[in-house]
Amino acid sequence: MMEENKVDNVVTDFRKVKDLKFYPGNPRKMDKKTLEKLRRSIREFGIVEPLVINKDNQVIGGNQRLKAIREEKIEEVPVVIVDLDKNKEKSLNLALNKIAGEWDEELLKSFIDDLDDDSLGLAGFDNVEVGNLLDNEDEVIDDNYKKS
């Protein structure tokens, strides 16, 4: 028998950024270069994925986004509020950061071929990543994500 759907313990809302707190002991970190990519994405696309918080306004999922959001001086953001015990909060924090798929490299190459240079940058790809993906670093000629 399947477990009951847990949607009943989730609420969506908006919160003032100044009221949100980083999750104590959050193990995820981000270097300055990656944080700048995240900030650029937020400037271009907005907040398209809500932060996940608990009833105490601690960010369980999205601590790096919160850092970028604060640096962008955004005042209010969408949130998903969950009501979990501390062990499950920590498990969710790890799951949100750990569980991920992998690229279908052929489809990814097709996506990259369809994007212009600026769009590649907005997607968070730098010239080295594109060159490695294409298995030919000569195809990337500068830091502006140019392909030959």
Side-chain angles (χ1 to χ4, degrees):
M1 185 170 168
M2 289 183 48
E3 186 173 320
E4 181 180 326
N5 187 333
K6 296 293 183 183
V7 174
D8 59 339
N9 72 342
V10 174
V11 175
T12 59
D13 202 358
F14 286 84
R15 288 286 191 273
K16 299 281 186 201
V17 171
K18 66 181 176 76
D19 296 335
L20 298 175
K21 303 170 208 150
F22 292 104
Y23 197 76
N26 178 48
R28 191 64 144 174
K29 59 185 181 176
M30 184 176 284
D31 63 42
K32 288 182 181 185
K33 183 178 178 182
T34 306
L35 183 62
E36 182 52 41
K37 288 178 182 181
L38 180 56
R39 289 181 66 190
R40 185 174 179 211
S41 175
I42 289 170
R43 283 191 302 270
E44 178 67 22
F45 303 115
I47 309 299
V48 296
E49 183 177 3
L51 301 177
V52 179
I53 67 171
N54 64 18
K55 64 185 181 308
D56 298 322
N57 285 333
Q58 294 174 326
V59 177
I60 298 168
N63 284 273
Q64 304 313 312
R65 281 181 284 136
L66 177 58
K67 189 181 296 183
I69 287 163
R70 285 184 172 171
E71 289 183 13
E72 291 300 312
K73 301 191 182 340
I74 295 169
E75 295 182 9
E76 190 174 68
V77 293
V79 296
V80 172
I81 307 158
V82 296
D83 184 15
L84 302 169
D85 65 41
K86 287 297 176 192
N87 281 336
K88 290 223 174 147
E89 283 183 7
K90 288 181 178 184
S91 293
L92 179 58
N93 174 284
L94 293 175
L96 291 170
N97 286 293
K98 171 69 175 148
I99 300 171
E102 59 187 65
W103 294 115
D104 177 316
E105 295 211 1
E106 290 305 312
L107 291 175
L108 180 58
K109 287 177 188 179
S110 176
F111 261 62
I112 286 174
D113 285 342
D114 290 343
L115 294 176
D116 61 28
D117 301 337
D118 190 52
S119 296
L120 281 172
L122 286 173
F125 285 90
D126 61 33
N127 62 331
V128 174
E129 292 169 311
V130 173
N132 288 340
L133 180 67
L134 298 175
D135 292 325
N136 183 355
E137 292 184 24
D138 293 335
E139 292 192 40
V140 179
I141 60 174
D142 71 10
D143 285 335
N144 292 321
Y145 316 104
K146 303 249 187 239
K147 302 181 300 218
S148 60

